[in-house]
Amino acid sequence: MRTLRSELETARIGAELDLSDLLLARGRHDEVLAALHTAAAARPLDERLAGQLMLALYRGGRQGDALDRYQSLRDRLAEELGADPSPPLRRLHQQILTADPALDLPDGRSEDGTSPTPRQLPAPPRLFTGRERELRALTAALDDAARDGTSMAAFAIEGAGGIGKTWLALQWAHEQAGRFPDGQLYVNLQGFSPGAQPTSPVAAVRGFLDALGVDPSAVPKDFDAQAALYRSLVAGRRMLVVLDNAATSGQVVPLLPGSPTCTVVITSRNKLTGLIAAHGARPIILDVLGEAEAHELLTRRLGADRLAAEPEVVRDLLRYCCGLPLALGIVAARILTHPGLPLSVFAEELRDHSTRLDALDTGEADTDVRAVLSWSKHGLSADAAELLALLGLAPGPDVSLAAAASLAGWPPPRTAKALRELDGAHLVQQHVRGRHRMHDLIRVYASEQARRGLSDDAWAAALRRLADFYVHTAYAGDRLLQPHREPIEIGAPAEGCRPEPLEDQTAALSWFDAEHDCLLAAHRMMADEGMHASVWQLAWASRTFQRRRGRWHEELTIWQAALAAAERLGDVAAQIEAHRYLGGTWAQLDGHAEAVRHLEHALSLAERAGNTAAQAHTHMAYGWVEKARSADESAVEHVMRASHLYRTLDNPVWVADALATAGWFHAELGRYDTARGQCEEALRIYQRHGDVEGEADTLHSLGYLAHHTGRHVEALGHYERARTLFQDLGHTYNEADALDRIGHTQAALDRPEPARQSWCQALDLYRAQQRGADAERVQIQLAALDDPI
């Protein structure tokens, strides 16, 4: 009985295998694929079954899966039986590996014999990495279209050259090939290919008709009739059409099927806005690979052991390749062809911006980053190509329309048009409204174009216009933020420079916030280019914003460069300013010795120059330095000397500055009556002359006085008014202190929840400002609320 059951089971399995052979011979691979998968899981060492599954996968467009299935079987045979696959299976593996036409159905025709089943997809990328989000988005959108059933699914995969558009399209197409049993059409439209004209829709349609088995004698002469015949042949069929490397929407539209059963994937370096608007194509915008994905790509190419041997160098390689898949692939290829060289050799070649693209050149156009980027440039208008080169000179992480207009010396509308073209070609990206950035390797390429295409005079003029844009806009912004500050002379902007108009203080703060990183980069560029006057002027113009945001380390770096520039200019007034601001900044960073050294220089220069205002300002700064090192009487003395000098200059606001500072010093010494008189007098002057920052500072001092003399309700009113003014001024540094004081006052009034709220807000600001000691102190205060002694 047991033998009979065994024979029956063997017969059943044989019959199933025979049926699968028959169905595969008739082109019905999609019908048997699921059953073959199930049977192979039950009989993993059955080579005939494995061969049928490999063939079904291959004919379904899943060449990579078929090859993986063979590798899995070979490993299992070796491990369990110590054997190799049989010769027929090895031969099938070789045929799949080389895409042998003999594996296709007889005459390439479908089961009913009426039309071929084209499988034109190129092989999938063997080492495809990442892009999980994009793959899911493509599949989800296809599922949505299938459920709807009324319109064709079309996807436009867009991105810069070398970003991996074709790899993504082919990977997804092969993964989903089973959903397109009636075939896959593919054409390279050569929209950005070197030495080749873009493939015309006429040629592409004719190629599709050939693939669909139309006899040449039956092809209509008129193109519209050819296109109609193409749409008729694919109507109602579940087919995938991949239109790779398209240049324009016009190149694509005639190739779109009309049937909702078809799916189209287009790749392009350009934004195919017309296709999206008129035909409902869904854009899939590719960005660079993330660090983890880029690392995985290198790992798959080079092996984990190779990377583990030089982890620091690997980080450098990833940084220099900037997540561009083409660059990563080139670097990996060069490393593999030089197995005896350490990774550090290749990292060193990439380190220098000026030669980085040389290190990313394999000698073949398709795998040369410079060449690939040049194909995108060739399609640009003259204005867009020129602006691309100029943007390579812009030092910041991104650029605004106004800054780009000054860089080019063009009116904003002309600049905006060129930027839109560059954005459409994925050579720049408008990552937030009104601000454009470039991928680092595109920036290197653009900089090369500037060096090659611009004369020395044009180069210098562009940088001068950009420098003047930042200096003059920042200066205007500072005048809005601090109108009572003594102005400096900055001259007129260069011809073609258009400083950004700022309407009010809010606009000024927004501009400084948006441009902060660009201002720092521009300041370094000015120093490198020897623009000494601009270096110290931009430092001066950024001072109020930097101080209100508490950016003391950046302020220190800026003023160190400004002092060097002022000394090269021989400008004594600028040197006094630089020494004085450096003194104040060092004091904020607890560098008291350095602070004193700079203030002594400032005071000496001011006295020799007979500059009374500078002497007074320096004495004020000296007072704060002395107060910071607990030399209280010396601090008061310096402030009173400043007050005396200010009174000779007939400047009431400066006198109020001295009174308010002296009042604060006396308050901290416990001389409350003296302090209150000085602060109240200062407050009246500030309010009379509209100095809001001075008013806020003095209200804060009066709140301190009231709190320490037991008048907590009065203190709370002063503090809250001061906090509101600081908030309006964008003075987040002092706003944090005001919130801390409000918390203390609320706690004194036995209001724990309002105190907690104020301290939590202060804590957030302290952390954002990296004021660790203040943040730790507030955390202790909050803990005390929860666990009072």
Side-chain angles (χ1 to χ4, degrees):
M1 182 66 71
R2 189 173 301 170
T3 302
L4 178 60
R5 280 200 297 267
S6 177
E7 290 175 354
L8 289 172
E9 178 65 14
T10 300
R12 183 187 66 77
I13 291 173
E16 286 180 354
L17 291 171
D18 290 342
L19 178 60
S20 294
D21 279 338
L22 178 63
L23 293 173
L24 286 169
R26 294 186 175 183
R28 295 166 64 179
H29 48 270
D30 58 312
E31 295 181 27
V32 298
L33 190 58
L36 290 173
H37 269 298
T38 301
R43 305 195 305 276
L45 298 179
D46 187 329
E47 293 189 69
R48 182 182 176 190
L49 174 59
Q52 290 177 345
L53 179 55
M54 288 166 59
L55 183 59
L57 288 167
Y58 175 75
R59 285 182 173 172
R62 297 166 63 181
Q63 181 188 37
D65 290 343
L67 295 172
D68 288 343
R69 174 64 61 172
Y70 175 81
Q71 183 64 45
S72 176
L73 175 64
R74 188 177 71 172
D75 292 346
R76 190 152 186 171
L77 285 170
E79 180 181 344
E80 297 187 20
L81 303 178
D84 291 327
S86 63
L89 198 63
R90 292 202 301 271
R91 185 166 56 253
L92 175 62
H93 169 253
Q94 188 61 31
Q95 287 178 294
I96 291 174
L97 192 63
T98 59
D100 188 342
L103 294 180
D104 290 339
L105 292 169
D107 298 324
R109 296 184 178 275
S110 57
E111 180 188 0
D112 61 10
T114 58
S115 61
T117 303
R119 297 186 189 84
Q120 294 188 321
L121 291 178
R126 288 289 295 151
L127 297 174
F128 184 85
T129 303
R131 304 300 191 195
E132 295 298 328
R133 180 176 60 84
E134 290 83 359
L135 288 169
R136 286 195 300 270
L138 285 164
T139 303
L142 180 60
D143 292 340
D144 290 343
R147 282 191 292 270
D148 177 63
T150 60
S151 60
M152 173 191 66
F155 309 101
I157 302 175
E158 303 174 353
I163 205 76
K165 301 178 294 296
T166 299
W167 272 34
L168 174 65
L170 292 179
Q171 178 70 17
W172 182 81
H174 280 280
E175 285 182 1
Q176 302 297 322
R179 301 179 67 166
F180 307 106
D182 297 321
Q184 305 96 37
L185 295 170
Y186 172 89
V187 62
N188 181 354
L189 295 174
Q190 301 192 93
F192 301 91
S193 297
Q197 291 295 318
T199 302
S200 69
V202 174
V205 166
R206 182 56 190 265
F208 285 166
L209 292 177
D210 290 342
L212 291 167
V214 178
D215 190 283
S217 63
V219 176
K221 293 182 179 180
D222 178 69
F223 171 66
D224 288 340
Q226 292 178 12
L229 177 59
Y230 155 64
R231 290 192 294 272
S232 297
L233 289 173
V234 299
R237 300 176 68 180
R238 290 178 293 166
M239 297 190 71
L240 174 66
V241 181
V242 178
L243 308 176
D244 195 17
N245 200 14
T248 65
S249 296
Q251 195 182 16
V252 169
V253 170
L255 308 180
L256 297 178
S259 173
T261 61
C262 294
T263 297
V264 183
V265 175
I266 308 106
T267 74
S268 180
R269 299 186 188 191
N270 285 337
K271 289 187 175 179
L272 304 178
T273 308
L275 187 70
I276 295 166
H279 296 275
R282 179 172 301 201
I284 305 291
I285 311 299
L286 286 196
D287 203 345
V288 295
L289 295 174
E291 184 176 350
E293 291 179 325
H295 192 281
E296 182 185 352
L297 180 57
L298 277 188
T299 301
R300 297 189 67 184
R301 294 289 181 92
L302 303 176
D305 292 343
R306 187 79 188 273
L307 300 189
E310 299 178 74
E312 293 295 330
V313 178
V314 171
R315 278 191 282 273
D316 289 339
L317 289 173
L318 294 174
R319 184 167 69 253
Y320 300 144
C321 291
C322 312
L324 188 71
L326 176 61
L328 290 161
I330 291 170
V331 168
R334 294 192 63 227
I335 292 171
L336 288 170
T337 55
H338 297 82
L341 294 179
L343 300 182
S344 56
V345 171
F346 303 95
E348 190 60 35
E349 291 177 348
L350 291 166
R351 191 179 309 279
D352 187 348
H353 275 77
S354 64
T355 60
R356 186 170 299 172
L357 295 185
D358 294 332
L360 294 172
D361 179 1
T362 64
E364 300 177 12
D366 286 345
T367 51
D368 173 357
V369 170
R370 181 185 287 110
V372 168
L373 294 176
S374 73
W375 306 337
S376 295
K377 176 177 176 287
H378 291 159
L380 299 176
S381 66
D383 269 5
E386 182 178 350
L387 185 59
L388 175 67
L390 289 169
L391 290 174
L393 305 180
D398 60 5
V399 66
S400 67
L401 169 61
S406 285
L407 177 67
W410 299 344
R414 179 182 175 187
T415 310
K417 182 179 179 182
L419 281 172
R420 284 195 297 272
E421 185 177 346
L422 292 174
D423 184 72
H426 290 283
L427 289 168
V428 303
Q429 178 190 24
Q430 186 177 198
H431 63 110
V432 296
R433 182 179 180 183
R435 303 197 69 81
H436 296 78
R437 66 184 178 194
M438 281 195 291
H439 182 274
D440 284 352
L441 290 177
I442 296 177
R443 182 190 296 277
V444 173
Y445 174 75
S447 180
E448 279 192 356
Q449 297 305 299
R451 285 197 298 272
R452 294 172 180 175
L454 296 177
S455 67
D456 290 345
D457 288 345
W459 176 300
L463 290 181
R464 167 49 59 196
R465 289 191 298 269
L466 185 64
D468 281 2
F469 168 81
Y470 286 120
V471 168
H472 283 263
T473 310
Y475 184 79
D478 188 84
R479 302 306 296 152
L480 287 167
L481 296 179
Q482 186 58 282
H484 295 284
R485 190 179 178 199
E486 189 175 15
I488 61 172
E489 178 58 47
I490 62 171
E495 183 179 357
C497 171
R498 295 173 173 81
E500 190 160 348
L502 302 174
E503 296 180 357
D504 52 27
Q505 179 177 267
T506 299
L509 279 172
S510 296
W511 184 84
F512 275 113
D513 277 324
E515 295 285 359
H516 180 256
D517 289 341
C518 292
L519 288 169
L520 296 178
H523 195 260
R524 291 191 293 270
M525 177 271 290
M526 295 170 195
D528 292 342
E529 296 293 325
M531 301 180 184
H532 303 311
S534 297
V535 169
W536 95 263
Q537 290 167 358
L538 185 58
W540 190 97
S542 305
R543 165 70 180 179
T544 301
F545 173 78
Q546 296 277 81
R547 178 173 57 82
R548 290 185 181 179
R549 291 291 193 256
R551 299 179 181 273
W552 300 113
H553 289 283
E554 293 162 353
E555 179 79 347
L556 181 65
T557 300
I558 287 174
W559 277 107
Q560 286 171 333
L563 176 59
E567 289 173 341
R568 290 188 179 95
L569 289 168
D571 187 330
V572 174
Q575 291 174 45
I576 294 170
E577 293 280 273
H579 278 299
R580 178 163 64 87
Y581 287 129
L582 279 169
T585 303
W586 271 116
Q588 290 290 338
L589 296 171
D590 295 328
H592 301 306
E594 282 295 306
V596 169
R597 184 175 68 84
H598 281 292
L599 292 176
E600 285 177 348
H601 275 295
L603 196 55
S604 176
L605 289 171
E607 287 171 347
R608 286 203 300 270
N611 188 330
T612 303
Q615 292 176 53
H617 296 329
T618 306
H619 277 297
M620 285 286 289
Y622 235 133
W624 285 103
V625 171
E626 293 292 84
K627 187 72 175 68
R629 66 185 190 92
S630 300
D632 297 317
E633 297 304 330
S634 177
V636 172
E637 181 181 343
H638 276 293
V639 172
M640 296 315 295
R641 289 174 68 182
S643 177
H644 172 74
L645 292 170
Y646 283 148
R647 291 181 190 277
T648 68
L649 298 172
D650 192 28
N651 188 314
V653 169
W654 289 351
V655 172
D657 288 342
L659 285 167
T661 303
W664 176 251
F665 289 174
H666 284 303
E668 287 204 312
L669 289 170
R671 302 166 184 169
Y672 300 134
D673 290 339
T674 302
R676 186 178 295 106
Q678 290 172 325
C679 288
E680 289 175 346
E681 183 180 354
L683 182 62
R684 286 192 293 271
I685 296 172
Y686 285 138
Q687 291 175 334
R688 188 181 311 128
H689 293 276
D691 189 328
V692 179
E693 184 174 352
E695 181 180 354
D697 284 332
T698 310
L699 285 167
H700 190 266
S701 298
L702 288 168
Y704 178 91
L705 286 166
H707 179 87
H708 283 78
T709 52
R711 303 194 306 276
H712 299 306
V713 174
E714 179 185 333
L716 191 60
H718 288 315
Y719 280 143
E720 288 180 339
R721 176 59 180 156
R723 185 266 173 119
T724 299
L725 294 178
F726 285 135
Q727 196 172 41
D728 292 343
L729 290 165
H731 201 323
T732 54
Y733 193 85
N734 280 6
E735 182 188 355
D737 292 334
L739 283 164
D740 184 18
R741 298 287 185 187
I742 289 171
H744 281 289
T745 306
Q746 294 282 19
L749 290 167
D750 196 23
R751 301 172 182 174
E753 287 311 310
R756 186 190 314 280
Q757 183 179 359
S758 297
W759 278 335
C760 286
Q761 290 175 287
L763 181 61
D764 289 342
L765 289 175
Y766 283 145
R767 285 172 172 167
Q769 295 161 13
Q770 298 182 351
R771 296 166 67 177
D774 289 322
E776 185 177 352
R777 174 175 49 76
V778 171
Q779 284 179 303
I780 293 171
Q781 292 163 191
L782 285 166
L785 282 178
D786 295 325
D787 187 20
I789 297 174

